[in-house]
Amino acid sequence: MLGLVLTAVLLVALSVAIHAFGTTYWIRYLVRRYSGPDSNFKAHAALPAITWTAIVLLLLHMIEVVVWALAYLLLLPGDHLGTFEKATYFSVVTFTTLGYGDITLLEHHWRLLSGIESLIGVVLIGWTTALLFMVVQRSWRSMTHGH
């Protein structure tokens, strides 16, 4: 059980670090590339800022999902999630809490790990939603204040 907890903590920390570094870099890029002196986006920058933010955030989630998929491939005994594609698919439906149920983990402790992936997925998707909302809000301000 201790090994499972340490594995979960490591995967959660890695997921948060990926998201933290990625979003911090992206915010700095947005400020340099699209912001005016009032820290709102320049009027012509609204569409590309929103579009690229959504793409970058989706890519961060895909990296996080792949990290979990690789962990499942390395940790699970036997051939349960035998291919990278199957492990990634399982990780996506777990991370997003979609949970089709067509692939499930049999051992109790591995099911707990996938539950933890769902929890961090909710947290990181919420973080993404907040950041995307901030970008839309700044874009809205720039368009309504005539900058």
Side-chain angles (χ1 to χ4, degrees), residues 86-109:
K86 193 172 181 182
T88 303
Y89 167 77
F90 175 76
S91 185
V92 167
V93 298
T94 302
F95 189 89
T96 60
T97 71
L98 185 59
Y100 285 130
D102 55 339
I103 301 174
T104 57
L105 301 180
L106 302 176
E107 292 89 10
H108 294 296
H109 59 284

Side-chain angles (χ1 to χ4, degrees), residues 19 23 53-54 57-58 61 121-137:
H19 218 72
T23 57
T53 297
L57 293 170
L58 181 60
H61 286 301
V122 168
V123 169
L124 296 179
I125 290 168
W127 182 342
T128 289
T129 302
L131 181 59
L132 191 54
F133 180 79
M134 186 236 9
V135 170
V136 170
Q137 185 179 33

